[in-house]
Amino acid sequence: MSMLTINNVHTYYGNIHALRGINLTIEQGEIVTLIGGNGAGKTTTLRTISGLLKPREGSVTFEGENLAKYKAHELVYKGISMVPEGRGVFSSLSVTENLEMGSFILKDQKEAEKNMEHVFTLFPRLKERRNQLAGTLSGGEQQMLATGRALMANPRLVLMDEPSMGLAPVLVELIFDIIQQINKEGVTVLLVEQNALMALSIAHRGYVLQTGEIIISDSADKLKNDPAVQKAYLGME
Amino acid sequence: MNEITKENFLWSALKIGLLGGAIALFICLIGMTEIFSKRAVIEKVITLGQFVLLAISVSCGLIAARRTSQLLRSPSAFSGLTAGLVAGLTVGLVLALFILAGDKINFRAVFLNASPALYKVLTFEKGIGGAWILPAAGAISGLLGAAFPLIPTSVRRPLFHAVLFLFFMALFSGLFRVVIINQGEKGEKIAKYLFGQTGMTVPGASIFFVLVGAISAFWSAFGKQIKTSASNLPKGGKIGLRVVAIVIIGIIALGLPRVSGPFIAQVIVIVALYILMGLGLNVTLGFAGLLDLGFVAFYAIGAYTVGLLTSYGPFGMQHISFWAAVPIAVLVAMCAGFVLGLPVLGVRGDYLAIATLGFGEIVRLLAGSDFLINYFGGPQGVIGIQKPCIGVLEAFTKIDVPRMCRGIELKDPQDIYYLAIFSAILIAFVSWRLRESRLGRAWMAIREDEDVAEALGINLIQTKLLAYMLGAAMAGLGGAIFATLIGSIFASSMQLIVSINVVALIIVGGMGSIPGVIVGAIALIGLPELLREVSEFRYLLYGAVLIIMMLVKPEGLWPSQAAKRELHHLDAEAGTEL
Ligand SMILES: Nc1ncnc2c1ncn2[C@@H]1O[C@H](COP(=O)(O)OP(=O)(O)O)[C@@H](O)[C@H]1O
Ligand SMILES: [Mg+2]
């Protein structure tokens, strides 16, 4: 049984038909990437999985359970965390306070402290800046913080929305290294990216989304060599 | 080159003077000067009206001198003094021009307050020939203002504090006089020595001036030393110091209403009730970021609940005791918070402001309506609200007959004072615990970003509803005490302006800050209540204070930690951009 199954999902904004019958599966332990251009529906897909949007048709199933009956905030308890587009850190709170917010659902203070230590070993930069206001961090540091905050809730599936957006290539590499590392620690990742080349270099499998529809799905290696993908998303002729 | 800059600094002094003149003229034309002239700062020496006009030209002189030192490449004492003279003179000239013009043109047709009495005040009762006095006084005071920065700090500070204190004493002299007189025969003698009918006496003013000046001088000389030696105390000593301070404050708080008399006690109670409302809105708006412009509704609901449950008048429903009615009132207000919260849950920003505004008006209109007159008394309100009784309350006998209290009845404002102060302290403590709690963190998260908060596992509906409900409960408690304080309630006292006051006091105090609510309530509610003379200009001063606050101290008088940091952070950002 797959960890996550999206079956023929249609999502609307009012009468704007944003997702037009999407099918997607994620296996336990994978990094799966969803690539596509601007406005393809990548964020909409993540918001649909995390319950912030409800599909008008179709179903999202997580570990065998239909998610339709859960509210967005309940899905965090199920083990799904999100790193939102544009990071969404609480800019007037410190790094530590942001991380504490990430462990909001944990009842056990000890566990929260342990998770924070873990985040600090993943991102030593954050530890150095633990008392700094999140709003004064650089873009890369904010991305680390948003990622660390998502990990604070002990997720089994992390949804990441364009973590490379606006970052220098070195930083993108750093973030992607961390994604691989947390994946090795057993966290499944759905990575949404416009930066297809980078995403495909760490993902196991990938899907290509175009105007609300999945047009191609294959293993990451195959996608990298697919002429259509190369032409459209990898900037190769 | 030098010529140009020289012209510049005099021109800027002139502009400052014109601006000051416009403000002075404005104060005259709205009738402030006339009213203030009936009050003296020092009897037979200077009236409050003159003092305010003087203060304007002194400030103009000071500002002009400051500006000069910025404009000129090599500023001298002489150029600063010249600028001050010009600015002060201009202020006086504007007023003099007004007097001369007023001799020919009847301004009164447009400005009601351009009365003969105003001209009398401005010409020092010397008729049109006295018009020259103002420019002369303006020039001298402008000069004084400009000379002020030249005085060494060790003298300047005490001087400034002493003058400020005199102004303060002048405003409140009537109150102090009555309070001292109330302390018996000796008090009466002292009061007569220090205060006359309209202001301080010459010896009184001198005593205050010297006293405050001396204390200020002492503090600026030794204050630092005292502070460091206090912070160097061992831990036990520090705690001891704190305990002593708390005990002293406690004794003052306990004894105050006995000493001050009912009027001041009532003002303090009103302030405490606004603190309760402010703390409530601070939960909804300050903590959770949910605007509510109809907050008076919960206050009204608390008040009406206590009124209807305890009144011995025609609309009394239950005749229970005040103590039993309070928790019910708080609960009912909480339910009202729920009822308001549900429909506006999905609403954000401007729409939220309008929706809550509507709610406040609906509650007031329903309470005062003829439709529900049989329940709420319509415009006549609910009267005969039972006072709180510590002891045994006799059974209800008959309409319009108060129930007997065997024990202590809290019937005067001086008694209710203790109830109000205790409630305010209790709720301040509750607010503080709430902010530090898990719920407080959830509020903070939704205030910052609702979507992210939800993605972190925060139940938006529950968290927002709790913010509305707990805020409403606090305001409901305030309303409950208000009902028993006044003894009768009318829908007409639950106006929109109350809600606006509460929002304003939170902004002035500092959004999200608990001490800020207290400071804001004292500044915006307490001071105007005490200053009955200025009550006519209350909202004018209000507006001025709010605008000045937003320009000078946007984070509030006593900002919360978060607000302080956010502003610093913005400063830091602005700094990096430069
Ligand atoms: N809040 C919204 N209201 C209406 N339309 C939206 C909203 N958000 C996104 N859309 C539309 O849905 C489509 C998919 O958007 P999105 O999922 O944000 O794309 P991506 O993340 O791939 O750039 C776009 O056509 C966009 O215009
Ligand atoms: Mg997107």
Side-chain angles (χ1 to χ4, degrees):
Chain A
M1 182 190 65
S2 305
M3 183 183 223
L4 185 86
T5 309
I6 299 179
N7 184 21
N8 188 33
V9 156
H10 293 260
T11 302
Y12 291 74
Y13 292 101
N15 48 22
I16 298 171
H17 198 169
L19 298 185
R20 301 157 181 265
I22 287 200
N23 293 293
L24 183 152
T25 57
I26 301 174
E27 304 299 327
Q28 166 83 44
E30 274 189 314
I31 298 177
V32 172
T33 182
L34 182 62
I35 53 184
N38 228 336
K42 304 182 297 296
T43 300
T44 308
T45 308
L46 289 195
R47 290 172 70 85
T48 306
I49 298 171
S50 66
L52 290 167
L53 293 171
K54 290 287 168 197
R56 198 173 286 180
E57 209 179 298
S59 67
V60 181
T61 315
F62 182 67
E63 296 180 336
E65 208 177 2
N66 191 330
L67 296 184
K69 60 176 177 287
Y70 293 111
K71 301 246 170 55
H73 66 92
E74 291 167 326
L75 291 180
V76 190
Y77 292 85
K78 295 270 154 208
I80 303 179
S81 277
M82 174 140 90
V83 183
E85 189 172 17
R87 337 217 200 284
V89 297
F90 298 119
S91 53
S92 68
L93 302 190
S94 71
V95 168
T96 320
E97 287 166 333
N98 264 280
L99 292 177
E100 279 167 0
M101 283 289 188
S103 60
F104 184 83
I105 63 158
L106 297 185
K107 294 278 181 299
D108 185 357
Q109 192 57 39
K110 286 251 170 55
E111 202 179 349
E113 277 163 29
K114 207 184 76 210
N115 288 356
M116 191 168 323
E117 274 317 305
H118 182 59
V119 169
F120 281 149
T121 50
L122 284 175
F123 302 105
R125 270 284 261 291
L126 291 183
K127 188 169 189 178
E128 285 166 27
R129 308 186 164 234
R130 60 201 305 165
N131 294 321
Q132 194 172 323
L133 289 191
T136 63
L137 296 175
S138 72
E141 289 159 349
Q142 287 191 5
Q143 186 61 52
M144 296 177 196
L145 181 56
T147 310
R149 188 179 60 189
L151 295 176
M152 288 294 290
N154 291 332
R156 287 195 297 284
L157 172 64
V158 173
L159 313 172
M160 302 192 79
D161 199 345
E162 300 204 35
S164 74
M165 194 200 277
L167 296 188
V170 237
L171 282 171
V172 176
E173 222 162 292
L174 180 80
I175 298 280
F176 278 33
D177 278 349
I178 302 284
I179 294 173
Q180 271 183 309
Q181 192 173 335
I182 59 181
N183 176 251
K184 288 209 181 79
E185 288 168 6
V187 179
T188 310
V189 177
L190 175 56
L191 175 63
V192 157
E193 267 300 343
Q194 286 199 52
N195 189 341
L197 190 58
M198 286 297 281
L200 288 171
S201 71
I202 65 163
H204 302 113
R205 292 189 300 116
Y207 290 82
V208 178
L209 190 63
Q210 197 174 11
T211 52
E213 282 170 291
I214 303 272
I215 50 166
I216 315 169
S217 77
D218 215 326
S219 74
D221 288 333
K222 290 246 178 69
L223 282 179
K224 259 191 277 188
N225 298 319
D226 186 313
V229 173
Q230 282 182 343
K231 186 157 178 248
Y233 302 103
L234 300 178
M236 300 180 211
E237 284 299 322
Chain B
M1 190 73 195
N2 206 21
E3 276 306 311
I4 294 169
T5 44
K6 213 168 201 174
E7 207 176 60
N8 252 346
F9 92 84
L10 285 178
W11 174 233
S12 102
L14 185 71
K15 276 197 291 191
I16 292 167
L18 283 174
L19 195 67
I23 293 173
L25 197 58
F26 177 72
I27 288 178
C28 291
L29 288 180
I30 60 171
M32 223 171 184
T33 308
E34 198 185 324
I35 290 183
F36 277 12
S37 291
K38 297 195 181 106
R39 282 281 297 276
V41 176
I42 305 168
E43 282 209 315
K44 299 197 185 86
V45 178
I46 181 170
T47 69
L48 197 55
Q50 292 163 339
F51 187 90
V52 170
L53 292 181
L54 270 182
I56 291 174
S57 57
V58 170
S59 316
C60 284
L62 179 65
I63 295 169
R66 271 246 183 91
R67 179 60 63 84
T68 301
S69 66
Q70 288 166 1
L71 282 177
L72 290 185
R73 213 165 304 150
S74 51
S76 65
F78 178 72
S79 57
L81 289 175
T82 315
L85 185 82
V86 169
L89 182 68
T90 313
V91 175
L93 279 176
V94 169
L95 289 177
L97 219 62
F98 164 70
I99 297 168
L100 293 179
D103 199 39
K104 301 269 177 296
I105 309 164
N106 181 16
F107 285 123
R108 206 154 189 204
V110 183
F111 300 106
L112 200 62
N113 287 303
S115 61
L118 175 66
Y119 291 116
K120 248 189 205 164
V121 168
L122 291 180
T123 56
F124 298 83
E125 307 198 3
K126 291 202 169 45
I128 187 84
W132 60 271
I133 303 177
L134 278 171
I140 295 168
S141 53
L143 207 57
L144 284 178
F148 198 64
L150 303 177
I151 310 169
T153 319
S154 57
V155 182
R156 195 171 62 195
R157 264 240 192 97
L159 204 65
F160 178 65
H161 286 159
V163 171
L164 203 67
F165 189 77
L166 282 192
F167 178 62
F168 180 78
M169 286 307 278
L171 286 179
F172 295 104
S173 64
L175 282 177
F176 286 117
R177 185 160 174 267
V178 172
V179 168
I180 302 176
I181 285 180
N182 282 345
Q183 309 312 314
E185 219 164 281
K186 230 185 198 161
E188 203 170 329
K189 257 188 206 154
I190 297 174
K192 289 242 165 88
Y193 185 65
L194 296 175
F195 300 108
Q197 288 290 344
T198 57
M200 282 174 282
T201 58
V202 176
S206 321
I207 290 174
F208 288 130
F209 189 85
V210 171
L211 207 66
V212 173
I215 292 174
S216 167
F218 175 79
W219 186 253
S220 61
F222 302 108
K224 249 193 200 134
Q225 235 168 308
I226 297 174
K227 259 192 209 155
T228 43
S229 59
S231 63
N232 285 341
L233 275 177
K235 205 168 176 203
K238 256 189 223 165
I239 292 173
L241 213 59
R242 206 165 286 168
V243 169
V244 169
I246 288 173
V247 167
I248 291 174
I249 291 173
I251 289 173
I252 292 175
L254 283 178
L256 191 66
R258 301 286 147 217
V259 177
S260 72
F263 173 65
I264 292 181
Q266 169 128 352
V267 170
I268 296 176
V269 173
I270 300 282
V271 169
L273 298 183
Y274 268 94
I275 289 175
L276 285 176
M277 267 195 282
L279 287 170
L281 187 60
N282 192 45
V283 167
T284 320
L285 176 60
F287 293 172
L290 305 165
L291 185 55
D292 187 342
L293 289 184
F295 212 62
V296 68
F298 305 123
Y299 189 71
I301 286 165
Y304 266 91
T305 308
V306 162
L308 294 173
L309 289 178
T310 70
S311 166
Y312 50 81
F315 296 104
M317 286 175 173
Q318 282 301 324
H319 313 296
I320 62 177
S321 80
F322 174 77
W323 308 114
V326 166
I328 300 174
V330 170
L331 265 174
V332 172
M334 240 169 136
C335 294
F338 183 80
V339 170
L340 166 72
L342 264 192
V344 302
L345 267 177
V347 183
R348 288 187 199 190
D350 317 351
Y351 302 104
L352 187 59
I354 298 297
T356 53
L357 191 81
F359 182 74
E361 289 297 281
I362 288 170
V363 168
R364 176 176 68 83
L365 290 172
L366 276 183
S369 72
D370 288 339
F371 172 60
L372 295 169
I373 200 164
N374 292 332
Y375 304 99
F376 300 142
Q380 262 83 53
V382 177
I383 54 167
I385 296 166
Q386 190 72 44
K387 298 286 176 189
C389 170
I390 301 171
V392 182
L393 195 60
E394 300 270 336
F396 173 74
T397 49
K398 169 163 127 213
I399 280 184
D400 288 340
V401 178
R403 296 160 68 187
M404 286 286 296
C405 170
R406 272 189 288 139
I408 305 163
E409 187 170 45
L410 306 181
K411 52 179 189 300
D412 300 324
Q414 282 136 296
D415 308 320
I416 305 274
Y417 167 94
Y418 297 104
L419 177 64
I421 293 285
F422 173 76
S423 306
I425 292 172
L426 177 75
I427 296 304
F429 178 74
V430 169
S431 290
W432 173 62
R433 293 306 306 160
L434 274 175
R435 192 187 57 195
E436 304 299 316
S437 72
R438 201 175 127 80
L439 183 57
R441 285 204 294 150
W443 283 332
M444 181 152 65
I446 61 170
R447 188 187 66 211
E448 295 266 324
D449 189 328
E450 279 190 16
D451 281 349
V452 174
E454 196 171 12
L456 292 178
I458 291 165
N459 185 339
L460 288 189
I461 295 181
Q462 190 187 322
T463 311
K464 284 185 174 187
L465 279 178
L466 277 171
Y468 280 114
M469 289 165 73
L470 291 171
M474 295 174 184
L477 176 61
I481 298 172
F482 175 72
T484 193
L485 170 77
I486 305 293
S488 47
I489 33 173
F490 309 98
S492 58
S493 47
M494 308 301 177
Q495 298 285 356
L496 173 62
I497 194 69
V498 177
S499 304
I500 292 175
N501 277 337
V502 179
V503 175
L505 79 85
I506 287 191
I507 293 171
V508 167
M511 189 79 80
S513 153
I514 295 164
V517 170
I518 297 166
V519 173
I522 292 171
L524 284 194
I525 310 297
L527 293 184
E529 286 283 330
L530 288 175
L531 289 169
R532 278 296 147 91
E533 280 96 339
V534 298
S535 62
E536 210 176 312
F537 309 110
R538 184 171 182 161
Y539 294 108
L540 174 78
L541 293 176
Y542 237 73
V545 166
L546 280 179
I547 291 172
I548 293 170
M549 282 291 300
M550 289 307 102
L551 290 174
V552 180
K553 223 169 154 20
E555 74 274 28
L557 290 173
W558 193 320
S560 68
Q561 218 56 32
K564 233 188 264 173
R565 287 190 313 191
E566 201 158 359
L567 258 109
H568 278 285
H569 150 208
L570 288 179
D571 285 349
E573 262 183 358
T576 52
E577 263 173 22
L578 286 174

